[in-house]
Amino acid sequence: MSSEQGPGHHQQPPASDSNMDQTPFARPISTVSATGGERISQAPTLFVDAPSDSVPGAEPAVDASAAAAAADADDLQPPTALANLNSTPSNLSVADSANANNLPYRNSLAPTAAGSAQHLGGSDKEAALSDAPRGTSPYPDLSGRQAEDGDGSTKSRKKLFYVLGGLAAFIIIAVAVAVPVAITQTKKSSSNASSSQPSTSGPDNSGSGETGGPTSSGPTAVVTGGDGTTIKTENGTTFTYVNKFGGTWYDDPNDPYNNNAQAQSWTPPLSQEWDFQNNPIRGVNLGGWLVPEPFIVPALFEPYVNATPAAHDEWTLSQAMAKDTANGGLDQLEKHYDTFITEEDFAQIAGAGLNWIRLPIPFWAVEKYPDEPFLEKVAWKYILKAFKWARKYGLRINLDLHTIPGSQNGYNHSGKGGQINFLYGPMGLANAERTLDYIRVITEFISQPEFAPIVPMFGIINEPVVTSIGKDQLTSFYLAAHDTIRNVTGTGTGKGPFISVHDSFQGLASWVDLLPGHDRMALDVHPYLIFVNVDRSPLASQIDKPCTSWASSMNTSWSNFGVSVAGEFSLAINDCGLWINGVGSGTRWEGTFGSGDGTAGDCTEWNDYASWTQDTKDNFKSFALSNFDALQHWFFWTWKIGASSVTGKIESPMWSYQLGLQEGWMPTDPTLATGVCGGKNPAKALTAEMLGGAGAGDISASARAASPWPPASLNPGALAAGNVPVYTATGAIPTLAVPTPTSGSVDGWFNDADTRPIYTPIAGCEYPDAWGSADASNPGPCSGTTARRVRNVIPKPKRTAAP
């Protein structure tokens, strides 16, 4: 690996060092009653406008416009069919999906796309549900018969009297039954029914985002829909939902934690636990949104590249913005949060055939220290929006803690470029203690049953540079983080998220023996092609490179370690693009960054996507399919690249999934990748232990002894961990905001038994710079009266019995 790395995005690390038992939460669906506030675990029942058994022959009415819409609907069907309305109302079932009989969510509510033809009784193209019963009268036309009888006998008249009386009573009963059935068009509170009527406007999402609690939607609000429906966002704008893969959105303000949405027909709804063995992860990162990076959002940085200090990471950007009060100061960052990624992006991601999002977040979404320049806690508001929008469109989230106190890698996307001060240098241990608390606070929030289905994976630290930190030290931290999380969630299948850890650019094989007996850890690899060597061969000759370079190692890791995912990769075959290697840095391709290969190339052809030929686009599309198949479970980096404010153009097109879809070099159907690499040496099935079954959580005493917390020493210079500055566990636990208005038991904290205060600086003690002390002299522990070093303060998680 080259040691000549700038502060740019996700580079390979430098070669030198310079630089509690818990009751399981409800499954398979966790919702909160808007009225009673209790957690519910059951397959929801749909109350459809079916004829009552006491009203023979009654049929639902249809208005002409609804019937026409249904008749002209696209033939594409979502993976569901309405219950036959000639029978008693029943649960919906997933009857038209492949292997539907084997799907565990077969009898749960899978919402129906508005506008699709429904199976209502004998006709495949009958109209959808409407506001009132209709059809031929269930009783005879007596007026004609009365005329015919004319001079009938007293007995006949008496018989008629009884008939008329009976019919009057029958009518009263019929009306009493039919009217409430007819008006039950939308789900009330926690009933989980959905409207299948075509809509021209989506729900009023005034309660979305950080205010995702229950609000009144009125008796005719549409809470679900599919391809072609119109979505109204919280700010009043509208867009058309386009999803050709049978996906359905679901959003009921009166039931904000409903999990019926489904990204595509082949992706299980959120009400079903994710099956890592059989469901491929096809995801995309939302890079640059809550952790801005210069090459992703150059327009944020461009006004301040000549400031003092020049903006090249979020630390210096925040300092420059804070001084620029005329343009809004730090509030400019919230404007970016509010506009760079919106609800429509989430809808487009589902419509692109993707089913997961990797969401990079900053630690200052939880809190910051006074000497840190970041915008504190505001990002959390948008994390809540991401949770709501993911729920609405059936997407799952791999929540990625992208920045770490002190910086885990010295890259510009860690918070501050330059030095590593996490588990490295005099303040390395204090920064690690602080990190463990932020991991704990986030885990408490996402493990609540209302959010657990949305966040099945938690990436605890992005791209730590193990060549500086040390593998023993990093393994000790991974064990401490594992125990911190499992002390919150308990151990075993369904108890908390998978814990994702990065391979630190050492290769997946180097971590195959990580903490044997762990409970549901996943390995994360970021296979980029461009940050070491320059390959000047034509694009067409590089199409198979992912298959030959990565497929085997991914399958081997899956077989030997367990769940292994590619958390980042791109279509970049070179490092062309504005600020790929950092603000003001050049490129290897042009010979202006690092040692290069002695050739001065030209990036113009790679940056100017408008000039790409159809052959170039087709080759990129084939290259993408090779990546998808080789990696199997993946998150493309990244969904969106912002335009430069100087040129008005996107200057790094090989990194934008959205732009590739719009311009025709990204596959519109990612499932077409299956088999592209030839299917050689397929991975073995995951074992029960890898998925949280028997054996998971039983880390041996010898493994624990080999990775104590804190570690015995820190780099550089083998600093004794017992002789460096530390914090004390006496601080107030930060409170993460919950959606408001909220309902039920959502309070931001899953495990009420977890009450330990967080680590905080010791009063009266002076500490070295937590972000710049790696090369400073070690002052040793603080001599304050409350300073005390306690080893192994994180208890071993108790093994939770299998359900």
Side-chain angles (χ1 to χ4, degrees):
M1 296 181 184
S2 169
S3 62
E4 299 173 322
Q5 301 292 339
H9 172 71
H10 303 259
Q11 297 136 353
Q12 304 288 0
S16 69
D17 290 342
S18 62
N19 241 320
M20 14 173 142
D21 283 341
Q22 176 61 45
T23 302
F25 44 77
R27 295 292 181 198
I29 177 170
S30 301
T31 62
V32 174
S33 167
T35 54
E38 56 183 310
R39 292 170 177 161
I40 302 167
S41 176
Q42 62 185 19
T45 300
L46 174 68
F47 296 98
V48 297
D49 293 339
S52 168
D53 288 342
S54 61
V55 190
E59 298 179 48
V62 178
D63 83 22
S65 60
D72 293 343
D74 195 309
D75 289 334
L76 181 66
Q77 293 286 326
T80 184
L82 278 178
N84 189 314
L85 294 189
N86 287 328
S87 62
T88 303
S90 64
N91 292 346
L92 290 183
S93 63
V94 186
D96 55 346
S97 294
N99 302 316
N101 291 331
N102 298 321
L103 290 176
Y105 51 92
R106 176 174 173 81
N107 290 322
S108 65
L109 176 62
T112 303
S116 295
Q118 308 299 334
H119 298 285
L120 307 182
S123 171
D124 285 349
K125 294 266 183 175
E126 285 190 86
L129 305 179
S130 66
D131 293 331
R134 69 155 178 100
T136 57
S137 172
Y139 25 86
D141 180 1
L142 299 179
S143 60
R145 293 193 181 180
Q146 177 73 15
E148 288 178 5
D149 287 344
D151 299 322
S153 65
T154 303
K155 183 177 181 180
S156 296
R157 287 193 298 271
K158 187 178 294 187
K159 179 178 180 180
L160 179 58
F161 174 83
Y162 288 125
V163 169
L164 290 173
L167 286 174
F170 191 85
I171 290 171
I172 293 172
I173 294 173
V175 170
V177 171
V179 169
V181 171
I183 64 174
T184 309
Q185 290 298 313
T186 57
K187 194 188 67 53
K188 303 295 190 291
S189 186
S190 58
S191 68
N192 287 334
S194 65
S195 170
S196 61
Q197 198 168 5
S199 68
T200 57
S201 62
D204 181 355
N205 293 332
S206 59
S208 63
E210 78 283 5
T211 58
T215 58
S216 177
S217 60
T220 59
V222 177
V223 299
T224 187
D227 183 45
T229 52
T230 299
I231 304 295
K232 184 178 180 182
T233 69
E234 61 185 22
N235 63 10
T237 62
T238 60
F239 64 87
T240 300
Y241 181 58
V242 178
N243 189 317
K244 303 300 182 183
F245 303 116
T248 50
W249 58 267
Y250 195 103
D251 182 36
D252 183 357
N254 289 318
D255 188 10
Y257 304 116
N258 187 290
N259 294 321
N260 290 331
Q262 192 168 4
Q264 303 88 27
S265 63
W266 59 75
T267 297
L270 296 173
S271 57
Q272 168 62 30
E273 182 117 14
W274 184 260
D275 181 354
F276 284 90
Q277 177 63 64
N278 297 304
N279 295 324
I281 293 174
R282 301 183 177 105
V284 67
N285 282 270
L286 294 182
W289 182 25
L290 304 179
V291 182
E293 297 187 33
F295 94 98
I296 301 177
V297 285
L300 267 186
F301 288 81
E302 283 166 334
Y304 304 107
V305 294
N306 295 316
T308 303
H312 60 84
D313 53 25
E314 192 158 352
W315 184 286
T316 51
L317 177 66
S318 298
Q319 289 177 321
M321 283 184 168
K323 295 178 182 179
D324 186 13
T325 56
N327 287 304
L330 270 182
D331 289 343
Q332 294 176 86
L333 280 172
E334 182 167 11
K335 182 178 180 181
H336 160 73
Y337 296 160
D338 195 47
T339 57
F340 184 65
I341 296 293
T342 66
E343 178 179 342
E344 188 170 3
D345 289 291
F346 282 72
Q348 289 178 0
I349 288 168
L354 305 174
N355 51 21
W356 277 68
I357 284 170
R358 183 169 178 260
L359 180 62
I361 65 171
F363 73 79
W364 50 89
V366 179
E367 70 167 15
K368 74 176 185 69
Y369 280 4
D371 59 345
E372 294 168 339
F374 308 117
L375 183 61
E376 185 178 24
K377 296 188 177 182
V378 177
W380 184 254
K381 170 181 176 180
Y382 294 87
I383 294 170
L384 290 180
K385 286 180 181 285
F387 291 169
K388 176 176 176 58
W389 295 335
R391 190 191 308 275
K392 181 172 181 176
Y393 297 102
L395 298 165
R396 290 166 173 85
I397 290 177
N398 174 6
L399 194 65
D400 178 67
L401 190 56
H402 219 66
T403 72
I404 297 295
S407 179
Q408 72 277 24
N409 52 35
Y411 301 156
N412 63 8
H413 48 77
S414 67
K416 186 178 184 181
Q419 290 189 350
I420 298 171
N421 292 277
F422 165 81
L423 271 184
Y424 186 82
M427 287 299 291
L429 183 55
N431 281 326
E433 290 173 334
R434 187 180 170 196
T435 301
L436 286 171
D437 274 331
Y438 296 154
I439 289 172
R440 170 182 161 224
V441 170
I442 294 169
T443 299
E444 287 283 6
F445 192 96
I446 64 176
S447 297
Q448 296 175 104
E450 294 81 8
F451 295 96
I454 311 301
V455 190
M457 186 176 287
F458 182 17
I460 57 175
I461 179 170
N462 178 66
E463 297 182 344
V465 175
V466 72
T467 52
S468 295
I469 296 169
K471 189 170 183 180
D472 289 344
Q473 289 80 359
L474 192 57
T475 301
S476 291
F477 177 80
Y478 283 162
L479 177 55
H482 171 278
D483 289 353
T484 295
I485 292 171
R486 295 306 173 217
N487 279 328
V488 170
T489 68
T491 58
T493 304
K495 296 180 176 66
F498 264 74
I499 304 168
S500 175
V501 297
H502 186 247
D503 76 337
S504 299
F505 301 110
Q506 300 303 294
L508 293 169
S510 67
W511 298 95
V512 66
D513 295 322
L514 176 65
L515 303 176
H518 62 76
D519 179 31
R520 289 167 296 138
M521 295 185 78
L523 283 180
D524 176 22
V525 63
H526 298 175
Y528 291 112
L529 294 170
I530 66 170
F531 292 121
V532 180
N533 300 315
V534 178
D535 186 346
R536 297 188 184 276
S537 59
L539 170 59
S541 67
Q542 298 192 51
I543 289 174
D544 294 332
K545 189 182 288 186
C547 296
T548 57
S549 300
W550 303 329
S552 178
S553 63
M554 291 298 294
N555 287 341
T556 299
S557 183
W558 189 270
S559 300
N560 297 338
F561 177 85
V563 173
S564 304
V565 301
E568 297 181 17
F569 70 101
S570 75
L571 296 190
I573 60 168
N574 55 54
D575 63 342
C576 290
L578 179 64
W579 296 342
I580 292 294
N581 297 302
V583 175
S585 300
T587 67
R588 298 169 183 82
W589 187 261
E590 295 169 305
T592 55
F593 179 81
S595 58
D597 62 351
T599 301
D602 186 356
C603 279
T604 302
E605 65 173 309
W606 300 109
N607 296 343
D608 184 17
Y609 65 88
S611 67
W612 290 357
T613 66
Q614 189 60 49
D615 283 345
T616 298
K617 293 181 179 182
D618 290 343
N619 286 332
F620 268 125
K621 188 178 294 185
S622 296
F623 182 56
L625 293 172
S626 293
N627 275 277
F628 296 170
D629 196 41
L631 300 174
Q632 291 292 306
H633 304 269
W634 47 264
F635 297 88
F636 185 88
W637 188 277
T638 184
W639 171 246
K640 178 184 290 186
I641 299 290
S644 163
S645 62
V646 176
T647 66
K649 297 187 299 184
I650 293 173
E651 298 288 351
S652 302
M654 292 182 286
W655 297 79
S656 176
Y657 202 109
Q658 183 189 59
L659 184 65
L661 288 173
Q662 293 170 354
E663 299 296 327
W665 68 76
M666 189 63 75
T668 55
D669 182 357
T671 67
L672 297 176
T674 304
V676 165
C677 291
K680 300 176 182 178
N681 302 313
K684 298 177 183 177
L686 298 172
T687 66
E689 181 179 340
M690 294 171 178
L691 295 170
D698 294 330
I699 299 175
S700 69
S702 60
R704 291 184 175 279
S707 302
W709 185 256
S713 64
L714 302 179
N715 292 322
L719 295 168
N723 193 39
V724 296
V726 293
Y727 295 144
T728 180
T730 59
I733 299 173
T735 302
L736 293 177
V738 299
T740 55
T742 190
S743 64
S745 60
V746 179
D747 61 5
W749 203 256
F750 174 64
N751 190 334
D752 291 337
D754 180 12
T755 59
R756 177 185 64 78
I758 69 166
Y759 281 98
T760 189
I762 300 169
C765 291
E766 293 186 6
Y767 291 89
D769 181 1
W771 291 83
S773 66
D775 299 325
S777 61
N778 176 26
C782 177
S783 59
T785 57
T786 58
R788 186 165 59 95
R789 176 72 254 153
V790 181
R791 298 181 66 84
N792 299 315
V793 296
I794 302 173
K796 174 183 175 181
K798 296 179 182 179
R799 173 67 184 168
T800 307

